[in-house]
Structures are given as C-alpha cells and as structure tokens.
Amino acid sequence: NAGVMQNPRHLVRRRGQEARLRCSPMKGHSHVYWYRQLPEEGLKFMVYLQKENIIDESGMPKERFSAEFPKEGPSILRIQQVVRGDSAAYFCASSPRLGALGGSSYNEQFFGPGTRLTVL
Amino acid sequence: QKEVEQNSGPLSVPEGAIASLNCTYSDRGSQSFFWYRQYSGKSPELIMFIYSNGDKEDGRFTAQLNKASQYVSLLIRDSQPSDSATYLCAVIQASGGSYIPTFGRGTSLIVHP
C-alpha cells in the first residue's frame, strides 16, 4: 500500500545547476500539490496540478521554477539555475478528488516524505 | 490576503494533561479546516478535518470550530510525550473553485514526562 512517494529524498546541487524533484501520488489520486517549507516556517503553496493540467500556480516563482504532471509518470517540479535561497524541504501532497460534503467543501491531502534540497 | 495565525509556542504541558492548540483565520469564506501533525524532519500527517461549527472528536483528539469568531482549535487529551511535534492548522476557502489550503506556521508542542 504505497503512499505518496517522492524522490530523491535528499538532493545537493551547486549554484546554477538544475534540480528535478519527483512525486508519485497515491494510487487513485489525480490531484497533486507542491509546497515549500523553510526552517521554522510554515508550508507555502507553490502549484496545484491535475493530469496534464496546471490548475493553480499562484505560489510558484515566475522564473526558474516549473512543474508538470504528465499523463504517464510522476509529477515533476523543476528548478533551473538554483540559488542558495532555494534550499528548503519540498513536499508533494496528493488528494483523490475535490468534493462537497454537507454543503461545505473538503480536500484531504496526503503528504509525501519530502525532498530536502541543499544548494551549495 | 488570506491569513492563518497560530502561536508558534512552544506550548509545554505535562504528560496526561490536556493540550489546547488554537488557530485563527482571516477569510470568512473559509469552509474546511484541517489539523496536521509534523514531527521534526518529517512530513505533515493529517490528524483531523472539520467543516461544521461545534466539536468533532476522534480518540484523544477534539477539533472545535467557531466560524463566527473565526477560530479553530485542537484539544489533545491525556497528552503523551509522543505527541510532541509541531501542529499545523490549514484552512480552505472553497469559493471560486480554488481548493488550495493556507497553512499556519504551526505550534510546537512539548509534552514532558
């Protein structure tokens, strides 16, 4: 019973290199979210994707960052030309669906173990 | 600007006591509320969600929601040292079709023997 999987768990890059973070959602989940967490800070939303679609990327920096969730394969968060400020934990979460319950909405998200990115 | 506020703590309680964690939010349109637990160096783990005013109980955990006052709280009864973690409050406003949760910074809980 696989939960949300992320790899690599730890990634070290030098300034200017590219970082690729992968996320495989739970089986049956079609919604993927990426978050960034800096030390002593909360989770900051980056991007929300469904298969082959970016639904909301309002939290994504305009430059160097991109995300995709292809029809086949994992979701990928790509950071080009990394800088030291990109060092953080990047979490992926998945959910099965959007829904309404009793007139309200709910959206349970299940988190992967995260990728700790260190930029030297 | 949607804001979710939590006291960063640390909140220190003795083993066996009730730990009370609070969260306030600014957006009156918020409809879904979540509590996550995050151990140091680990990923957030969903504890409970609530969307109706009142209390919702699950084992030693009780979530309380008061939409009029715009706060949601989490009570942990019979606190154990293993409950020591950071607790994150997350709020979703459903209007406009966006189901993106806004997270608070979390409250650090320490349960001492």
Side-chain angles (χ1 to χ4, degrees), chain A residues 43-87:
Chain A
L43 287 163
K44 299 297 183 185
F45 165 76
M46 299 182 74
V47 61
Y48 162 38
L49 310 102
Q50 295 179 30
K51 286 283 187 180
E52 300 184 277
N53 283 304
I54 296 175
I55 306 302
D56 187 327
E57 56 182 347
S58 58
M60 193 93 98
K62 292 290 185 281
E63 297 179 350
R64 303 189 298 107
F65 285 73
S66 62
E68 62 176 5
F69 190 13
K71 186 176 180 181
E72 302 291 338
S75 174
I76 295 176
L77 178 67
R78 182 183 177 203
I79 311 172
Q80 295 177 290
Q81 299 176 324
V82 296
V83 301
R84 289 212 173 107
D86 296 333
S87 296

Side-chain angles (χ1 to χ4, degrees), chain B residues 1 3 22 28 34 39 60 62-63 67 72 95 99 103 105 107 109 111:
Chain B
Q1 178 86 12
E3 292 183 354
N22 299 313
R28 282 196 172 275
F34 303 80
Y39 292 110
R60 295 187 296 113
T62 299
K67 289 186 178 181
V72 56
S95 63
Y99 295 86
F103 282 82
R105 290 193 171 194
T107 298
L109 173 66
V111 181

